[in-house]
Amino acid sequence: MIRVIAFLYLSSVAVPLLAQSPAAEAPVTDPHRPVITDTEFNATIPSLNDAPLESIEAWQAEQEERPVDGSAAQQPAQAVAVSAMLMAQDKNAVKSLPDPSLTDPLLDDPLPPIENFDAEPPPAPTQAAEREAGAVRYILRIDGLDATATAELVKDADGIAVEAAVWNDVRSRFYDLSLLKENGGRADSRAEIGQRARADRQLLLDILNGQGFFDADVQVKTETSATEGGPVNVIMTVLPGRRYYLGHIAFDAPTVQPADLISGNFAPKTGDAIIADVILAAEANISVALPQNGYPFANVGQRDIVLDGDTGMGDYTLPIDPGLRSYFGQLRTEGTATFDAGHIAILRRFKSGDLYDSRKVDDLRAALIATGLLSTVSVEAIPSEGVAPDGTPYAELRVRQEAAPSRSLAASVGYGTGQGFRAEGSWSHRNLFPPEGALRLATLLGTQEQAASVTFDRANAGRRDRNIEISLSALHSNYDAFEAYTGRLAVTMALVSTPIWQKKFTWSMGAEILGTSEDAFELARGVRDRQLYYVAALPAQVGFDRSNDLLDPVRGYRVNLRVSPEVSLGTGKQIYARAILDGSYYYPVQDNVVVAARARVGTIKGISRDNLAPSRRFYGGGGGSIRGFGYQRLGPLDPNNDPIGGRSVNEFALEGRYRFGNLGVVGFVDAGQAYESSFPKFDDWRVGVGIGGRFYTNFGPVRLDLATPLNRRPGDTRFSVYVSIGQAF
C-alpha cells in the first residue's frame, strides 16, 4: 500500500508538469481525448485483486536488490520524464536524489503492554480552561538592541556607527507603549499573548522606521518554559538593517521674504539621520514661522522622501504654498457683539498696516478671553481686497464672539492668628456700563473686621490693562492697637500686570479721602481716648518685575515702591509722607527647590506719632509680615502690653520651598521690628520660624503656615497659624 501511495503521488506530479512542458508542442485537437488510454492506465496500476500480499521479508529483499544511485532504469517512466523536463527547462544537469528510506527502526521495537497503553491523547488547553486556571504568565525579551548606557557607539548593518542613545531610545519608547509590557506579564490565554506580540511587533517596526531604519525586521518567537507552570517566553529579535540618511533637501515653494525664511527654520541637514520626530518638528517650525513673518495663509504640504537602497540616502522634498505676504487690515466682528471693533482695537498690540504676525493674533485672542465677558471667541485672518501703497495686500481679522454671563458671585474664607477668621463675599456685574464697566458690591465679616463697599471699575480704559476704579467703603476694625470706624472714598488709575501679560513695569496713582473715629492709647496722658481724624492722600506706586511668574515665581526679582503724601486734620493741619520699599528675590536651587528672600523698609516723615491716626501707623507681625507673632503685635507697647505702632518698620524673610507634584513644603524664618522713630534702627529684631504646606492649583498656591516666635515677649502667642491663597511673597 505504501508503494501505491508513493506511485500515485509521483503520477499526480508528473502529469501536470508534462502538460506544461515545452516538449509537448503538438496541440490537442480533441479536448475530450484522454491523456493516456485505459489500456495504458490498467497496465500501469497494479492489480487490486484479493490475492494475499507478499511478506515483509520478501518486500525488504526486493528493496535491497534495487540500485541506490537512483538511475532512470529503475524509476517509473513518469518520474524519468519529470527529471528530463526539469533538465531541459533550466539547461542544467540535475542529479536525482535517492528515494528516502521507508523503514523506521521504531517499527521493530516491541509494542508496550496493553494495560499501559493510553489511547486518548492529552487534551490541549483551551482559552476557557486557561482563564479558569488563572492568568498565563509571560516574560518579554528583546534581542538585537543590546546597546548599554556605557557603550558609546554601536554599528548598524552597513557598519556605520550609531550612538547607543538611539538604541536606548528605541527600547525606552517601545516599553512606554508596549501592550506586553503594559499588562505586567500576565494574560488570560496564550492566544491573547500572541495578539499582543503581533501588535508589539508592528509597534517596534514603527519605532525603528521613525529612527531611519526602514529595512528593519522583527522576528517574534514564543517558547514554553521547561518547568511546569513556568512563564511563556516571548522573544523579539530585532534586525535593524541599514540606517538611512538625508540626501538632497529641496523645498518646492516660491520665493519668500526673507529668502531664508523656509530653509533657515528647517533644522535637519544633508547627512543627518532620517528621524521622524526631527523631520516633523522641522516642518511644524516652518508652519509656525511663516505666519509669524507675514504669511497668514501659508500651507505646508506632504513631504516626499525617495530612498536609495544602494547609497542609503533619502532625497527630501517638501511642497509649500506660502500664500500672499500680508499686512494687518481692518477688524470685523461677528456673533453676539459684546465688544465693537473700536474696543477690540484697544486690546490689540498692533496697528493696521503692520506686518502680519500670528503671535499678536494669539495675544489678542487671549486678551479677549481674559475679560471674562465672552464664552467663546475666535480670531482668524481672511483675505482683503485692499492693498498697501507698496502693493502688499491686507489681511482682515474676523473676530467671532459669543457673550458669557456677566454676573458673578465670589466668596473666600481665611484665618490668621491675631486677625481671626475672615469671610468675604461679592456680587459683580462685569459689564453693567459697556464696555467693561463693572459694578461690584462686597462685604467682609471677620472676627476683628467688618466692612461693606461699592466699587465701579473700568477695565482696559482707553488702553489695554489700564484700569480706573472708584470705591466707597465703610469699615469697622477692632484690634489690640486700636478700634476704628472708617469711611473712605478713593479713585485709582493703574497699569497692572495680568497672568496673560506680566509686565516688567507697573504703576498706579490716585486720591483718597477718609474720615475715621479711632480709639487708641495716648502716652502723653496715659489713657485710651477716641479721636476723629480726617485724612486726604495722593498715593502712588511703581513696580519693576523680572520674576518668571506672577502668582508663583521661582526665579527673578521684584522691586516695589509706594509713596503717599498725606494731610491730617485730626489734631490740627499736619502734612507728612508715608513710603514703603519692598524687594524680593527667587533662586531655583534645583528643579523643585526654590530659595526665596524678601526685605521691606518703611518710613513716615513730617508728623509725630501721637498726631498720626493709629490706622496710618506702621506695625509688624502677622501672615504678611513676621510670622510667629500676632497681627500688629510688633513695635512699641503701651503699659497694658498692647501695641501702639510706630513711624518706621524693617522686615526680612527667607524661605526654602520644595515642591512635589501639586503639593509642597516650605520652611521659613522671618525677622523684623517696628520703631517709634521715623527711620528704622535695624536693631531689637524679633524672629519667628516655622513650616508650611502648599497645595498648588491653577489659580495659585493655597498655603497653610505654622510659626512660633523665638524671642517672644509677654502677651505673644507660642504658635500662630495662617491660611490664605498665594505665597507669602
Side-chain angles (χ1 to χ4, degrees):
M1 181 63 70
I2 296 177
R3 287 178 293 167
V4 172
I5 294 174
F7 186 77
L8 289 177
Y9 170 76
L10 291 173
S11 299
S12 65
V13 173
V15 169
L17 287 177
L18 287 173
Q20 299 172 10
S21 173
E25 297 179 356
V28 179
T29 58
D30 184 0
H32 301 289
R33 179 182 177 183
V35 177
I36 61 176
T37 65
D38 292 341
T39 303
E40 292 174 326
F41 179 79
N42 293 330
T44 304
I45 299 300
S47 174
L48 299 179
N49 54 26
D50 295 333
L53 294 175
E54 58 185 335
S55 65
I56 293 296
E57 291 77 6
W59 182 79
Q60 288 179 343
E62 180 183 349
Q63 296 301 315
E64 293 175 356
E65 294 176 358
R66 295 181 58 186
V68 297
D69 58 355
S71 62
Q74 300 297 327
Q75 296 180 10
Q78 288 87 348
V80 175
V82 171
S83 298
M85 180 205 69
L86 293 175
M87 287 188 291
Q89 284 183 338
D90 60 14
K91 303 296 190 297
N92 294 323
V94 177
K95 181 178 181 181
S96 299
L97 297 176
D99 290 339
S101 174
L102 298 180
T103 62
D104 190 344
L106 294 178
L107 296 176
D108 297 331
D109 293 342
L111 294 175
I114 190 65
E115 60 272 10
N116 296 335
F117 181 73
D118 186 4
E120 295 293 334
T126 63
Q127 294 188 30
E130 289 175 340
R131 280 193 292 268
E132 292 178 1
V136 180
R137 295 185 299 116
Y138 61 86
I139 296 176
L140 172 63
R141 191 180 83 204
I142 300 179
D143 293 339
L145 296 178
D146 299 327
T148 63
T150 57
E152 295 183 357
L153 297 175
V154 179
K155 295 183 179 180
D156 66 2
D158 287 343
I160 300 177
V162 179
E163 294 84 355
V166 173
W167 308 112
N168 292 333
D169 182 59
V170 170
R171 183 187 294 271
S172 176
R173 291 193 180 197
F174 173 76
Y175 283 157
D176 288 341
L177 302 173
S178 167
L179 290 176
L180 289 169
K181 201 72 175 176
E182 176 186 354
N183 290 276
R186 291 186 178 271
D188 290 337
S189 65
R190 287 178 173 83
E192 186 174 359
I193 296 176
Q195 292 175 350
R196 294 177 187 173
R198 286 189 291 272
D200 278 3
R201 175 184 181 274
Q202 186 59 50
L203 170 65
L204 191 49
L205 282 173
D206 293 341
I207 295 174
L208 288 166
N209 291 166
Q211 289 288 342
F213 298 95
F214 298 106
D215 297 336
D217 187 23
V218 177
Q219 299 173 356
V220 181
K221 180 175 62 173
T222 58
E223 295 179 350
T224 304
S225 176
T227 60
E228 183 177 355
V232 175
N233 295 311
V234 181
I235 304 170
M236 291 190 172
T237 303
V238 178
L239 306 174
R242 79 184 324 161
R243 196 182 201 191
Y244 285 82
Y245 297 84
L246 283 173
H248 179 65
I249 299 175
F251 302 101
D252 184 7
T255 303
V256 295
Q257 298 180 20
D260 63 344
L261 179 58
I262 295 176
S263 60
N265 285 281
F266 190 81
K269 306 300 180 185
T270 297
D272 292 351
I274 303 177
I275 302 175
D277 289 348
V278 175
I279 298 294
L280 292 174
E283 293 173 356
N285 195 41
I286 292 175
S287 64
V288 170
L290 285 169
Q292 290 179 352
N293 291 273
Y295 294 91
F297 312 111
N299 180 39
V300 177
Q302 182 64 40
R303 80 200 65 81
D304 183 25
I305 302 178
V306 180
L307 300 177
D308 188 339
D310 295 332
T311 63
M313 306 297 286
D315 291 338
Y316 173 90
T317 304
L318 182 66
I320 300 174
D321 179 13
L324 295 176
R325 187 169 183 263
S326 305
Y327 293 153
F328 280 115
Q330 299 300 315
L331 293 169
R332 181 189 302 179
T333 62
E334 295 182 1
T336 306
T338 302
F339 304 126
D340 59 17
H343 189 68
I344 295 175
I346 291 175
L347 299 178
R348 65 183 181 180
R349 300 193 191 280
F350 56 86
K351 297 181 295 183
S352 296
D354 290 349
L355 184 64
Y356 184 91
D357 188 338
S358 60
R359 290 167 293 189
K360 296 180 180 179
V361 177
D362 295 337
D363 177 76
L364 174 59
R365 183 186 301 108
L368 289 167
I369 294 173
T371 64
L373 296 173
L374 299 174
S375 60
T376 59
V377 60
S378 65
V379 183
E380 60 179 341
I382 56 176
S384 175
E385 297 180 355
V387 296
D390 62 358
T392 302
Y394 289 108
E396 294 185 354
L397 290 184
R398 179 167 56 195
V399 180
R400 291 192 178 97
Q401 50 183 315
E402 295 295 334
S406 56
R407 298 171 179 83
S408 62
L409 291 172
S412 65
V413 177
Y415 174 81
T417 302
Q419 289 179 285
F421 286 98
R422 293 167 57 92
E424 298 182 65
S426 65
W427 173 90
S428 300
H429 191 307
R430 299 188 304 277
N431 203 32
L432 183 61
F433 310 100
E436 298 193 73
L439 179 66
R440 183 171 65 255
L441 306 178
T443 183
L444 165 64
L445 296 176
T447 306
Q448 295 177 302
E449 282 186 318
Q450 303 84 41
S453 64
V454 179
T455 303
F456 167 78
D457 182 20
R458 170 77 74 182
N460 300 307
R463 176 183 173 182
R464 179 168 165 177
D465 296 333
R466 183 171 65 187
N467 298 344
I468 296 177
E469 180 180 285
I470 303 174
S471 64
L472 178 64
S473 62
L475 171 66
H476 171 239
S477 304
N478 187 12
Y479 298 109
D480 293 340
F482 62 87
E483 181 186 19
Y485 295 89
T486 304
R488 176 177 177 269
L489 174 64
V491 178
T492 303
M493 177 185 294
L495 182 68
V496 298
S497 278
T498 67
I500 293 176
W501 189 34
Q502 182 179 349
K503 299 174 180 60
K504 295 180 181 179
F505 180 76
T506 58
W507 56 265
S508 70
M509 63 178 63
E512 63 177 345
I513 300 175
L514 60 89
T516 177
S517 175
E518 302 187 4
D519 181 13
F521 188 86
E522 292 188 17
L523 287 178
R525 296 191 298 161
V527 296
R528 294 187 69 90
D529 190 15
R530 179 170 295 277
Q531 190 168 345
L532 185 63
Y533 298 89
Y534 297 98
V535 178
L538 297 174
Q541 176 176 300
V542 292
F544 189 71
D545 188 350
R546 296 304 302 269
S547 65
N548 69 309
D549 188 88
L550 187 64
L551 301 177
D552 185 27
V554 298
R555 64 173 56 86
Y557 63 90
R558 296 172 179 172
V559 179
N560 193 71
L561 175 63
R562 285 168 287 175
V563 177
S564 179
E566 299 181 2
V567 176
S568 175
L569 303 177
T571 56
K573 185 177 180 180
Q574 300 281 331
I575 300 177
Y576 60 95
R578 304 171 76 246
I580 300 177
L581 177 64
D582 277 291
S584 56
Y585 180 76
Y586 312 93
Y587 178 75
V589 179
Q590 296 179 356
D591 291 341
N592 56 350
V593 178
V594 176
V595 174
R598 175 184 65 87
R600 174 184 295 168
V601 177
T603 181
I604 300 175
K605 187 69 175 176
I607 190 174
S608 66
R609 182 186 59 186
D610 292 341
N611 290 332
L612 186 64
S615 61
R616 311 297 285 183
R617 300 172 187 173
F618 286 133
Y619 302 88
S625 177
I626 298 143
R627 288 163 289 185
F629 295 88
Y631 181 66
Q632 296 183 341
R633 287 293 305 173
L634 292 186
L637 302 177
D638 65 16
N640 298 321
N641 227 24
D642 291 329
I644 56 178
R647 293 184 296 164
S648 63
V649 65
N650 54 239
E651 297 175 358
F652 175 80
L654 182 66
E655 286 191 351
R657 303 171 181 172
Y658 172 65
R659 177 173 179 174
F660 46 98
N662 291 328
L663 300 177
V665 177
V666 175
F668 58 85
V669 55
D670 296 347
Q673 185 62 280
Y675 306 93
E676 190 279 332
S677 61
S678 60
F679 288 99
K681 298 179 179 179
F682 299 98
D683 61 3
D684 192 27
W685 279 18
R686 299 292 165 176
V687 181
V689 297
I691 188 171
R694 300 292 184 268
F695 176 64
Y696 293 90
T697 68
N698 57 358
F699 57 83
V702 178
R703 69 182 175 109
L704 169 64
D705 290 339
L706 176 64
T708 183
L710 294 184
N711 50 351
R712 64 190 184 93
R713 301 175 300 181
D716 291 336
T717 59
R718 291 183 178 274
F719 296 98
S720 298
V721 179
Y722 311 95
V723 180
S724 64
I725 296 176
Q727 297 284 9
F729 55 90

